[in-house]
Amino acid sequence: MEEDTRDRPIPSGTAASTPAAQNGCSRQLTDDEVDRYSRQMIVPGMGKEGQLRLINSRVLIIGAGGLGCPAAQYIAGAGIGTVGIVDGDVVETSNLHRQVGHATSRIGMKKVESLITHLRGLNPLPSYIPYPTHLTPQNAAEIISQYDLIMDCTDNPATRYLISDMCVLLGKPLVSAASIQKSGQLIVLNCPPTPQGLVDGNYAPCYRCCFRKPPPPSSMVSCGEAGIMGPVVGMMGVAQAGEAIKILASALHIPPRPLADDDATPERNLRQPTLLIYTYDLESAVGPYSFRALRMGGRRRNCFACGEGSTLTLEGVQAGSPNYEQFCSMPTSRASLPQEERITAAAYHAAKERGELSEHILLDTREKEHFSFGSIEGAVNVPFGKVLMKAAAIMRDGGSGRDILPVEAGDRDAPIFVVCRTGLDSQETVEKLKELGLDDGGKRKIVDIAGGMRAWKQDVDPSFPFI
Ligand SMILES: [Zn+2]
């Protein structure tokens, strides 16, 4: 990985040791820096000291998307000395409504390169370090260990738990945000960092202390499935930068000291951090603007990562334990159906054209907003979330599996074909329908259309409006 070495600050060890940012005053500000940062330096609480701490700080932004772009702009603008950015994706047109650090002219470029191009235009003084890769259990320690503060700007739960665990093991403060559809949340974790296993005292929690279990897979939808509003995710990214700047300029991430019970400093607040939740009502023309703040607890004694007797180690993570994808039941770990229960989009189309499928039910499990943009002729829509909810209710309260199907299809015994957006939800739907007995002991065919509507567009109908 190439590194820009201009004006490179002294690398720090773990934040729990002595970060370069702690003293901050190792040199004077240059005229250019005074000019550039004067408006924030005159804000009470920042001053020259705070600015020098920022210049001596190293921040890692994981994710160069909807959160990472606005966060990176303000981190770079404020003069953080070294900014590392991790992302393995390339810029796509559908990113641009919210990922404002990219540009139409840079579609197809690696996101880290595109964002750094933008940041250099904004502020050429910091060193920018690109990591054009996804964060993995294998590369996480090497990357994260080089920074003073970590910003989680990712969009999947498995990576969130990985980042938090690494921050616990390496003693890094973590500013974590998330956003989907019309809501966002933000929390500062592991700040100031405390050695793993230290529980007698009021210490800051990690992500696992606050969120012991990931959300159920059925509730985990990507931006591609659920959609996302630009200003919502943008606001969370900006707030993330605000928290990071505050922590670094005030040296709030410096190792813990004993706190008196009546201590009311910002450090006390970090040890029982606030979860900021923002929801945005698209149906309401003006407001209500909804910000909520939930006070979270401190470090949990029995936390898997940071608690007493934790067995989490760097070596273990690197060797695959814990298994983050399994823990979060990520779609990639979902079992594929056997061959006889699948058909390609092209083979389904050909069979239909030949009239071999005159009697069948085509169940489309995409969200209704996706369905409304276009569907295969004759398809009926039951969104995946509804399939899971109805299946759970039938299993709990009894009833017929047929209730999952729309009325117009419910009474027929014809084969069922299931299609979704990219071919994962449809496989799970096939399994659910079989569990509920809709396959009539194997007499009725229930088949997944492999690759979903994406494959349909690619192999059957290039004019299909796939979103
Ligand atoms: Zn914890």
Side-chain angles (χ1 to χ4, degrees):
M1 280 153 220
E2 73 176 83
E3 178 166 343
D4 182 340
T5 52
R6 276 180 294 165
D7 196 23
R8 171 95 182 264
I10 306 152
S12 69
T14 65
S17 61
T18 314
Q22 187 165 7
N23 300 318
C25 295
S26 53
R27 68 167 174 82
Q28 292 302 307
L29 292 167
T30 64
D31 289 348
D32 189 9
E33 286 166 345
V34 171
D35 217 13
R36 184 174 286 270
Y37 306 127
S38 58
R39 294 297 188 276
Q40 75 184 20
M41 280 197 287
I42 57 175
V43 172
M46 174 64 79
K48 192 180 113 192
E49 292 252 316
Q51 186 61 52
L52 281 165
R53 286 200 189 98
L54 295 185
I55 291 172
N56 282 321
S57 294
R58 299 171 63 87
V59 168
L60 182 67
I61 297 170
I62 306 174
L67 292 165
C69 284
Q73 289 183 163
Y74 286 96
I75 288 292
I80 300 288
T82 302
V83 183
I85 303 174
V86 184
D87 199 307
D89 289 339
V90 297
V91 180
E92 295 176 17
T93 312
S94 65
N95 301 146
L96 295 174
H97 80 107
R98 65 190 186 281
Q99 300 184 13
V100 293
H102 305 304
T104 305
S105 60
R106 298 197 292 275
I107 288 167
M109 188 188 278
K110 281 278 187 187
K111 280 188 179 177
V112 286
E113 284 159 24
S114 166
L115 181 54
I116 287 174
T117 302
H118 175 71
L119 298 177
R120 276 198 213 289
L122 187 67
N123 187 354
L125 299 181
S127 295
Y128 298 104
I129 305 180
Y131 299 93
T133 173
H134 295 291
L135 196 81
T136 67
Q138 286 69 43
N139 66 18
E142 193 196 329
I143 299 173
I144 288 175
S145 63
Q146 297 174 46
Y147 292 86
D148 297 319
L149 181 142
I150 312 303
M151 300 177 73
D152 180 351
C153 302
T154 62
D155 61 0
N156 83 77
T159 312
R160 274 186 201 295
Y161 282 96
L162 168 64
I163 294 171
S164 173
D165 287 356
M166 298 312 292
C167 286
V168 168
L169 291 168
L170 296 165
K172 306 294 177 184
L174 171 62
V175 184
S176 178
S179 184
I180 191 79
Q181 213 171 43
K182 298 185 287 182
S183 66
Q185 62 181 46
L186 169 76
I187 189 166
V188 175
L189 297 162
N190 203 40
C191 185
T194 315
Q196 188 186 22
L198 203 59
V199 291
D200 290 322
N202 183 17
Y203 298 119
C206 76
Y207 191 77
R208 285 186 193 264
C209 291
C210 300
F211 307 98
R212 294 182 208 195
K213 287 185 183 161
S218 56
S219 72
M220 283 194 265
V221 282
S222 67
C223 299
E225 304 287 346
I228 187 161
M229 292 301 295
V232 177
V233 66
M235 186 140 53
M236 302 325 290
V238 172
Q240 241 181 320
E243 292 304 301
I245 290 167
K246 182 167 71 187
I247 290 164
L248 294 168
S250 318
L252 289 171
H253 59 308
I254 302 305
R257 58 192 170 87
L259 287 188
D261 285 345
D262 59 351
D263 192 305
T265 60
E267 191 181 322
R268 159 71 71 197
N269 291 332
L270 287 171
R271 293 184 187 201
Q272 288 185 312
T274 300
L275 175 69
L276 176 73
I277 301 169
Y278 176 63
T279 44
Y280 173 85
D281 186 356
L282 201 60
E283 276 81 39
S284 170
V286 182
Y289 307 106
S290 172
F291 282 102
R292 279 180 300 147
L294 293 180
R295 175 55 66 94
M296 306 299 277
R299 172 173 281 189
R300 229 168 15 91
R301 184 171 282 275
N302 63 348
C303 173
F304 170 81
C306 68
E308 204 171 26
S310 166
T311 54
L312 183 76
T313 62
L314 283 177
E315 298 72 31
V317 170
Q318 220 149 24
S321 170
N323 182 329
Y324 291 94
E325 297 214 332
Q326 205 171 58
F327 177 62
C328 298
S329 305
M330 294 296 286
T332 47
S333 61
R334 285 187 211 172
S336 281
L337 292 172
Q339 214 48 52
E340 61 273 17
E341 290 176 7
R342 310 193 74 187
I343 187 169
T344 64
Y348 168 82
H349 177 247
K352 202 172 168 185
E353 290 289 293
R354 288 197 299 268
E356 292 166 14
L357 294 178
S358 53
E359 272 299 310
H360 75 285
I361 297 162
L362 175 60
L363 189 64
D364 186 327
T365 63
R366 293 175 299 156
E367 293 300 312
K368 71 177 194 312
E369 288 77 13
H370 286 263
F371 188 76
S372 69
F373 269 89
S375 61
I376 301 173
E377 197 192 341
V380 290
N381 181 225
V382 181
F384 182 57
K386 217 170 232 180
V387 170
L388 293 178
M389 261 166 45
K390 282 190 173 179
I394 292 166
M395 284 178 176
R396 190 183 60 237
D397 307 329
S400 166
R402 287 175 185 274
D403 294 346
I404 282 191
L405 303 177
V407 193
E408 61 266 37
D411 285 337
R412 290 156 54 197
D413 285 322
I416 301 172
F417 289 79
V418 187
V419 69
C420 67
R421 186 167 168 271
T422 59
L424 289 170
D425 293 351
S426 55
Q427 293 189 60
E428 218 167 294
T429 302
V430 168
E431 278 177 346
K432 279 279 170 236
L433 298 182
K434 277 163 51 192
E435 257 174 66
L436 293 170
L438 276 170
D439 65 338
D440 199 11
K443 284 186 224 150
R444 180 193 211 178
K445 268 176 43 171
I446 304 181
V447 181
D448 162 53
I449 298 184
M453 295 311 294
R454 185 159 60 189
W456 181 265
K457 179 180 176 74
Q458 197 177 305
D459 303 331
V460 178
D461 179 8
S463 70
F464 182 81
F466 179 79
I467 57 167

